[in-house]
Amino acid sequence: MIRVLSLTTTDWRSFYQSQMTALERAGVEVTTLPVPSEHRAREDDVQRRTPLDYARYLPQVLRAAREDYDLVHANYGLTFPFAVAASALPGTDLPVVCTLWGGEYRDNPYADVIRWFTARADRVVVPSNAMADRVDRPCHNVPFPVDTERFRPVPRDEARERVGWETDERIVLFPYAPSREEKNYPLAARVVDGLPDDVRLRTVANQPYEEVPYYLNAADAVLITSRYESGPMTIKEAAACNVPVVSRDVGFAREVLEPVSDSHVVADDDALQSRLADVLAGDRRSDGRAHVTEYTVDEMGDRLRAVYQRCLESEA
């Protein structure tokens, strides 16, 4: 049994929860220690943590690190300094594994600090090849799997009845809060404004996770206009529901969607509108599910356990 102290800014995110499930199945015992308070995007604004929240976090991490753990796994760049601090405690000498989530080096005032601590981790994990390209050191690529039991095709009218949307609308889904600047809602709005009047842009944010598949299935297409991504997981989740996706060329969008029918990845923002119009005119579901079911939660757990094992062996 490997015992891991896991530091994270957002333990409620679906991809973090899937990581915990994967590790449990792989025989890894994980204790999660989240940063106090919460950073969450709401429909019109963003609730942000304060420096005081992070100041409160440091003694919590240092106390936890004195317990019987084999290593510290820091998830997202803002937790990296705390993991390194824990590893430096006298008598602990805990190896540090860091996982980058994607936003650490883009428009982040702490990017240089995060790079400095990333360079001092024993192992670095990334969720995509696109993220690996941003890191100036060897990385382990351990993607997040999609929950294909939860994210599955549901008839569109049934899904719309569930979420309370009109059944005769043509709906493009922007699957984030408009307040999240990196997701670039203004571009999505401009793209849809140039389409026929019967096309409506809808957003979804902070809904219970079990309801998200219904929102995806209720849409005619999902539109991703992000300025940068390591993912996003929404692309895999929509594909698992056979919902067409039109996306900017960010994160692993091209890697996931290239073989998928009735979905498009574009390098030119002007092409978003024409590709989206094509998808809406075709009024077909994609075949994305066939392309996202091979990589499982169990495989993720095995890969992460292997990273931990190598880290511990190199420390022995």
Side-chain angles (χ1 to χ4, degrees):
M1 176 69 72
I2 299 174
R3 298 193 66 219
V4 175
L5 175 62
S6 180
L7 311 182
T8 181
T9 53
T10 47
D11 59 339
W12 52 267
R13 286 191 182 275
S14 61
F15 56 82
Y16 181 80
Q17 291 296 321
S18 71
Q19 178 174 293
M20 295 303 98
T21 299
L23 289 171
E24 180 181 359
R25 291 184 185 178
V28 177
E29 184 180 322
V30 181
T31 299
T32 296
L33 186 62
V35 179
S37 189
E38 190 173 80
H39 182 108
R40 189 186 288 262
R42 295 175 290 207
E43 194 69 20
D44 298 322
D45 63 2
V46 180
Q47 177 183 342
R48 301 182 187 277
R49 290 187 176 94
T50 67
L52 180 60
D53 293 320
Y54 285 96
R56 291 165 51 207
Y57 191 47
L58 180 59
Q60 294 176 18
V61 173
L62 296 181
R63 282 195 301 270
R66 294 187 183 279
E67 298 179 20
D68 188 20
Y69 294 107
D70 297 301
L71 59 84
V72 181
H73 186 168
N75 294 271
Y76 189 67
L78 292 180
T79 65
F80 294 3
F82 300 93
V84 173
S87 72
L89 277 175
T92 59
D93 197 28
L94 291 172
V96 174
V97 175
C98 292
T99 292
L100 292 151
W101 282 355
E104 287 91 344
Y105 295 167
R106 303 289 189 120
D107 298 329
N108 190 324
Y110 305 107
D112 289 340
V113 173
I114 292 169
R115 285 191 182 93
W116 193 90
F117 282 101
T118 301
R120 279 145 186 81
D122 295 280
R123 292 287 188 279
V124 175
V125 176
V126 292
S128 69
N129 290 325
M131 189 67 222
D133 290 341
R134 300 181 207 162
V135 184
D136 189 22
R137 61 168 294 176
C139 300
H140 300 273
N141 185 2
V142 183
F144 290 104
V146 63
D147 182 349
T148 54
E149 293 182 6
R150 185 183 301 274
F151 291 90
R152 67 192 191 284
V154 175
R156 187 183 301 159
D157 287 352
E158 177 185 331
R160 290 189 178 185
E161 183 176 354
R162 173 84 172 229
V163 303
W165 292 353
E166 294 292 334
T167 58
D168 59 351
E169 293 180 331
R170 287 199 292 170
I171 294 174
V172 175
L173 180 63
F174 179 83
Y176 310 106
S179 59
R180 295 185 64 181
E181 293 183 4
E182 77 279 9
K183 302 300 183 181
N184 203 359
Y185 177 77
L187 175 57
R190 291 196 301 272
V191 167
V192 174
D193 281 347
L195 296 174
D197 292 341
D198 64 334
V199 178
R200 180 171 181 180
L201 179 64
R202 286 188 176 269
T203 65
V204 61
N206 298 323
Q207 294 296 325
Y209 186 52
E210 60 271 16
E211 294 300 310
V212 174
Y214 293 97
Y215 283 95
L216 291 172
N217 277 287
D220 294 283
V222 171
L223 179 60
I224 305 295
T225 53
S226 304
R227 294 183 172 92
Y228 54 86
E229 290 280 2
S230 62
M233 280 301 296
T234 302
I235 287 178
K236 291 184 179 181
E237 293 166 349
C241 296
N242 285 339
V243 176
V245 179
V246 177
S247 175
R248 294 185 73 240
D249 193 1
V250 291
F252 54 55
R254 187 170 297 280
E255 181 180 342
V256 173
L257 295 177
E258 197 161 42
V260 177
S261 67
D262 293 295
S263 291
H264 303 280
V265 178
V266 303
D268 180 359
D269 289 355
D270 292 337
L272 286 169
Q273 191 174 95
S274 61
R275 288 300 194 181
L276 184 57
D278 291 343
V279 167
L280 295 174
D283 193 26
R284 295 181 295 269
R285 285 325 213 186
S286 77
D287 63 351
R289 189 172 181 82
H291 301 281
V292 297
T293 55
E294 294 180 358
Y295 181 72
T296 66
V297 168
D298 289 338
E299 184 175 351
M300 181 193 195
D302 291 341
R303 288 194 188 187
L304 276 176
R305 185 184 174 92
V307 172
Y308 294 163
Q309 198 66 52
R310 289 175 196 158
C311 189
L312 293 172
E313 289 170 357
S314 66
E315 291 292 312

